Amino acid sequence: MSVTRDDIRKIAALAELAVDEAAAEELERQLSRILDYVAQLAEVPPDAEPVEDGRVLRLRHDDIAPDPLLSEPKDFAPAFKQGLFLVPRLGELDRGEDAP
Amino acid sequence: MTPPRFRAAALGAAIRIAECEAKGTHAFVEWSEEALVEQADALTEEAADGPLAGEVVAVKDVIADRFFHTTCGSRILHGWRSAFEATAVRRLREAGAIIAGKTNCDEFAMGSSTEHSAYGPSRNPVDPTRVPGGSSGGSAAAVASGAVRLALGTETGGSVRQPAAFCGVVGIKPTYGRVSRYGLVAFGSSLDQIGTFGKDVAGAARLLAAISGRDDRDATTLDRVPLGGPGPAPKSLKGTVIGVPREYFPEGLHAGVRAGCDRALAALKALGAEVREVSLPHTKYAVPTYYIVAPAEASSNLARYDGVRFGPREDGGLRDVRALYRATRGHGFGAEVRRRILLGTYVLSAGYYDAYYRTAQRVRERIRADFAAVFGSGVHALFTPTTPTPAFQFGDNLADPIAMYLSDIFVCTANLAWVPALSLPIGRDEGLPLGGQLIGAMEAESTIIRIAQALEAAIDGTAEVR
Amino acid sequence: MSRETVIGLEVHVQLLTRSKMFCGCSSAFGDPPNTNVCPVCLGLPGALPVANEQAVRLAVRAAYALGCAVHARSVFARKNYFYPDLPKGYQISQFEEPLATRGRLEITSPDRGLLTVGVTRLHLEEDAGKSFHDRVPGMTAVDLNRSGVPLIEIVSEPDLRSPAEARAYLVALKQVLKYLEVSDCNMEEGSLRVDANLSIRRPGDPLGTRTEVKNMNSFSGVERALTFERDRQVAAVERGEAIVQRTMLFDGAKGEVRPMRSKEESHDYRYFPEPDLPPLVLSEAWLRTEREALPELPAAKRDRFVKSYGVPEYDAGVLSGTRELAEYFESVVAVGVEAKDAANWIMNDVLALHPDDVQRALPPAALAAVIGLVRKGTVNRQAARKVLEALDTRAADAAVSADDALRLATELGLIQVQDTSRIDTWVRETLAAHPGEVGRYRAGEMKLMGFFVGQVMKRSGGTADPKAVNAALRSALVGTAAS
Ligand SMILES: [Mg+2]
Ligand SMILES: [Zn+2]
């Protein structure tokens, strides 16, 4: 098995997915099989020269022109009050290390 | 007043869709006669003069529109009405088309059979015991059953061409960037592209022309004006060089598929084309490359389904936002989507990025270079089988994800390389449709469409091939 | 035992654009929550980013001003993490191929004087929304107006050696960015945010283990937080404890820094190139235009003021403090005022009236006219200040011209009186009113001259020419003594 139960636990936490024990066992097996299968890519020798697709970013003028919403946040949000989206309480700054 | 003219088209379509669905095809996840009539009556004068005036078009449920829900075949978007409209759908409306409804698909377009739809699978109209292919199986089935003549599908790794082959219709996947992805719910952003289905090549090409062209809301669209519509089928293919890549005709290829391809190649030669064997040496790496790139992008694209701003929320006890995420996502996504999110998270995570993601990008460049070399050597188009076998039966490939993935072995290369490709019916084997694939150079849609039209006219696409 | 403090700063600055980084929503501050939102910045299914040209331009300007190498090709990347105010579950940023690298900023360190601080990198990214933890009991409330607002992140080398130096770096950085009109750098509105990395070591040793300090809401807060953290680390090391690499939060009210509640799993952002945005490629010509259009920066301006106007170093530093103040100074000089006069008047009088916004002060020509009145002896220095204040008040709601200076001085009765007969009268009256002081003066208490001058000026309503008063007093007092 190239993927361990601990790996499954870690990536499930990163992906914020609930995975129960039975599912974890199956995932361990399936992901291992898939990763063993894709491991054959390692045999492709490093490139001589990289292939450039030549596409470059088109930029937008700094105009205020949003695509208008057909419905508003209050209509589609699961919980919304005083103009704000609501979620269960979270500790302040419990976020990424160098998030903005 | 124009309405009566288009109302008849709408009512006719409603009857055909109802007949199709009454047979248990389940091509649609949502449609209604009222919506059809409402749109027909509301057609503006300008739209009524458009190239698709009164044409009824089915739309895959991963594309946002203003009339129906957009669920992506997933529980996590149950009840979601998009707050904006996809550019492709807007262009359809502006061209005079009427949106028939939303077609079934594998959840978030992840699958090759529609068996991964949260709303149940679609059936192949040619043989209801078999899958219609996927992920755009509902759109292929809608066209194959006669419910509509035209439909939009989407591709990430062959999801238009494979079901087109399985259902015996035409499917076109344009060059990456030919059609705006704005409003197409993302799966693998560097691979995703909206494609078209038609009963015949001209129909699918006409639909593609209507939605193509630069869009300022999608930075990855090509800076090109829309494609022109198809011309008449050429009577001769003299001067056209067709490459036959040997990697697409392995030993042990399904005998019916091989026979169909042989017949099609003979027809191409008879039309005056030069048929030449070529090689795309990195073909065997396409599926493993695809199964790193697509899940990696998907793991990021599907992070937005968190129960915070839209869609259903499961509170997980309402104590903690992490519990909310895990419950909402854990229950909202089906098994295949969960598998791919976790796979994608794994290949991007610290310590594995170089071994998997960076390696896959490197191999992807080799695959792209293979195509560039072949098309640089005077070849105008490649001809290959679309799928290794005809449509399989329900459940055949469900237990083993890799077996399912390998049904896309001939189609996912074009997505990785961004080149245009199409599938057209080249006959039947034991009653099951066979698809032949034409792959073009970057932006050479019109070349493969022209060749496909000639081939379509030269062979009986529904005849048994052996 | 001497310990050296090593500090590096990561500064996020909001760019002064009309619209957001990747969508056409307004990036205005202070609108009702969730009103400047669209499919893109809400992260709705199927929405796609389109990059703002002006944001790229402002970032390039900042990079050039900081002496960075600006890369003709840079790549946007997704930084993946879950947070309720991050709609897509990832932030579009730059990672392996940032817009600019290897820059520098000259600062005036309170400890070490003029010094150059390295800038490691400068990249473009989008902001997240804003979370409120106190609006609805038990809930976190999210406003996405700020989601997608354009930012640059500027990362310094660990070149700073004290909390005061960190503050000096921020002051210099803010000055440059405001000069460029890249950002308004307003910490209260969140348009400038600072995170710091701090470690201690013995001089000459390799870098020690660093902690990251966050949640500082002002420049003085940065200095206080870093002082606290430095002292904490020194005390810990002196107790023989090891420094643990972790994130610390500053509590401004308590003035202390404490460790952030640690999370169960470590961060793993899974960066990868943003597939929705092709590489950002900037042409040589475009880059050259931007580089050449850079305004003169504060340090260069200060040096030029010293060199070409001969004003003292300190004055040059004050006058080049903002672009507006420097322009004001040069306009006053341009209408013919001697540079040293202009500097004195601006620093003593104009800045006293308008410490923050010289643009609201009286026009340069009017100031020049006031200064001219003094030079010509039309009004004295003291009266001139009154004229200036009156002109300045008037300038707040009406246009004022150079001619208004003389008219106002006349209206206010401030024209200097040099008529000796009138001055002699005031002198006579003053001496008559203070016979005691006159006696003491004559007995040798010479410093009373100042008192007599003041009394005469008072009698004249401030209009007498002080020089003439002095002369008249002297001769009157001497004259009487002789009799
Ligand atoms: Mg940042
Ligand atoms: Zn927006």
Side-chain angles (χ1 to χ4, degrees), chain A residues 7-99:
Chain A
D7 289 331
I8 298 286
R9 196 188 58 75
K10 255 186 243 160
I11 57 177
L14 278 175
E16 298 289 5
L17 274 178
V19 174
D20 61 31
E21 274 308 296
E25 194 181 325
E26 202 193 338
L27 281 163
E28 199 181 315
R29 209 160 26 77
Q30 287 173 330
L31 293 195
S32 291
R33 197 163 127 57
I34 297 167
L35 289 166
D36 292 346
Y37 168 69
V38 301
Q40 59 178 296
L41 295 184
E43 65 195 45
V44 178
D47 306 345
E49 80 283 21
V51 185
E52 275 293 322
D53 60 62
R55 295 197 186 192
V56 301
L57 188 60
R58 274 197 303 269
L59 299 168
R60 162 181 81 73
H61 285 295
D62 183 24
D63 299 324
I64 296 177
D67 188 13
L69 291 166
L70 299 172
S71 53
E72 290 174 57
K74 69 172 164 52
D75 306 321
F76 53 74
F80 199 78
K81 212 172 168 183
Q82 298 164 24
L84 298 157
F85 295 97
L86 297 184
V87 293
R89 175 131 200 178
L90 189 74
E92 195 164 0
L93 286 161
D94 178 15
R95 63 151 74 236
E97 287 276 344
D98 52 0

Side-chain angles (χ1 to χ4, degrees), chain A residues 98-100, chain C residues 10-12 79 91 93-94 123-126 151-155 195 271:
Chain A
D98 52 0
Chain C
E10 284 173 25
V11 180
H12 284 94
K79 176 180 181 176
Q91 177 199 23
S93 180
Q94 296 188 304
H123 70 247
L124 266 165
E125 59 184 30
E126 60 175 338
L151 302 177
I152 47 175
E153 181 178 327
I154 302 163
V155 182
D195 299 330
Y271 281 100

Side-chain angles (χ1 to χ4, degrees), chain C residues 137-385:
Chain C
M139 304 293 270
T140 290
V142 177
D143 172 13
L144 296 177
N145 280 352
R146 209 177 67 189
S147 159
V149 161
L151 302 177
I152 47 175
E153 181 178 327
I154 302 163
V155 182
S156 87
E157 290 289 307
D159 287 347
L160 301 161
R161 292 291 171 271
S162 71
E165 248 174 41
R167 183 180 186 160
Y169 169 86
L170 293 171
V171 168
L173 182 64
K174 175 173 172 174
Q175 197 181 50
V176 168
L177 296 174
K178 288 194 72 160
Y179 248 74
L180 295 170
E181 290 166 348
V182 155
S183 174
D184 59 20
C185 295
N186 186 333
M187 268 188 112
E188 279 100 75
E189 292 183 2
S191 66
L192 187 151
R193 279 166 272 160
V194 183
D195 299 330
N197 289 304
L198 185 146
S199 61
I200 55 168
R201 64 174 172 188
R202 291 214 182 85
D205 279 4
L207 290 176
T209 304
R210 65 191 166 92
T211 56
E212 187 177 16
V213 185
K214 299 171 95 77
N215 201 36
M216 300 167 290
N217 298 320
S218 64
F219 286 1
S220 66
V222 171
E223 192 172 348
R224 283 195 302 148
L226 295 183
T227 303
F228 188 96
E229 176 58 12
R230 178 196 57 200
D231 295 348
R232 186 193 70 82
Q233 288 194 14
V234 169
V237 167
E238 256 146 42
R239 282 195 305 272
E241 294 166 18
I243 303 299
V244 184
Q245 181 164 0
R246 67 204 309 183
T247 300
M248 313 292 291
L249 294 185
F250 179 55
D251 181 336
K254 292 201 180 121
E256 60 183 41
V257 162
R258 56 169 180 271
M260 188 169 103
R261 193 177 75 230
S262 65
K263 281 175 67 177
E264 53 191 279
E265 78 273 353
S266 63
H267 297 287
D268 182 347
Y269 294 122
R270 292 157 284 135
Y271 281 100
F272 70 102
E274 165 59 284
D276 290 331
L277 298 166
L280 173 61
V281 176
L282 303 170
S283 74
E284 260 314 306
W286 190 88
L287 286 173
R288 196 178 324 113
T289 311
E290 286 307 320
R291 198 171 49 222
E292 284 166 4
L294 271 194
E296 187 180 31
L297 293 170
K301 211 158 248 183
R302 185 195 57 212
D303 295 348
R304 185 167 60 80
F305 285 2
V306 173
K307 253 188 231 126
S308 36
Y309 298 125
V311 295
E313 182 98 22
Y314 174 81
D315 294 10
V318 173
L319 293 169
S320 59
T322 69
R323 210 161 147 177
E324 293 76 23
L325 184 56
E327 264 164 30
Y328 190 83
F329 167 68
E330 294 204 87
S331 308
V332 175
V333 174
V335 290
V337 178
E338 207 171 292
K340 276 177 198 153
D341 274 351
N344 282 333
W345 280 86
I346 292 170
M347 290 169 64
N348 294 328
D349 299 78
V350 178
L351 282 182
L353 297 173
H354 301 283
D356 300 316
D357 189 3
V358 76
Q359 282 172 302
R360 295 186 14 212
L362 74 169
L367 175 61
V370 175
I371 298 171
L373 290 181
V374 179
R375 283 241 141 192
K376 278 183 258 159
T378 315
V379 299
N380 62 43
R381 183 71 177 79
Q382 207 184 340
R385 173 169 270 229

Side-chain angles (χ1 to χ4, degrees), chain C residues 23 25 38 41:
Chain C
C23 65
C25 287
C38 77
C41 56

Side-chain angles (χ1 to χ4, degrees), chain B residues 361-391:
Chain B
Q361 291 297 6
R362 190 163 61 76
V363 178
R364 185 178 181 177
E365 283 193 12
R366 293 297 96 201
I367 291 167
R368 186 180 294 165
D370 280 357
F371 281 103
V374 163
F375 289 119
S377 73
V379 169
H380 296 109
L382 300 169
F383 182 85
T384 80
T386 307
T387 56
T389 64

Side-chain angles (χ1 to χ4, degrees), chain B residues 87-88 91 152 174-182 184 192-196 207-215 218 220-222 227 445:
Chain B
T87 299
R91 288 185 179 169
L152 294 187
T175 305
Y176 182 80
R178 178 68 76 189
V179 178
S180 171
R181 293 183 294 118
Y182 189 69
L184 156 59
D192 292 344
Q193 193 62 196
I194 293 177
T196 60
L207 185 58
L208 176 61
I211 60 172
S212 64
R214 168 180 165 153
D215 178 17
D218 176 1
T220 63
T221 49
L222 294 164
L227 290 169
E445 281 89 340

Side-chain angles (χ1 to χ4, degrees), chain B residues 219-252:
Chain B
T220 63
T221 49
L222 294 164
D223 190 6
R224 297 284 184 275
V225 296
L227 290 169
K235 301 259 186 307
S236 158
L237 290 177
K238 226 172 217 63
T240 302
V241 180
I242 309 271
V244 178
R246 69 175 77 96
E247 291 81 4
Y248 287 68
F249 294 87
E251 262 181 60

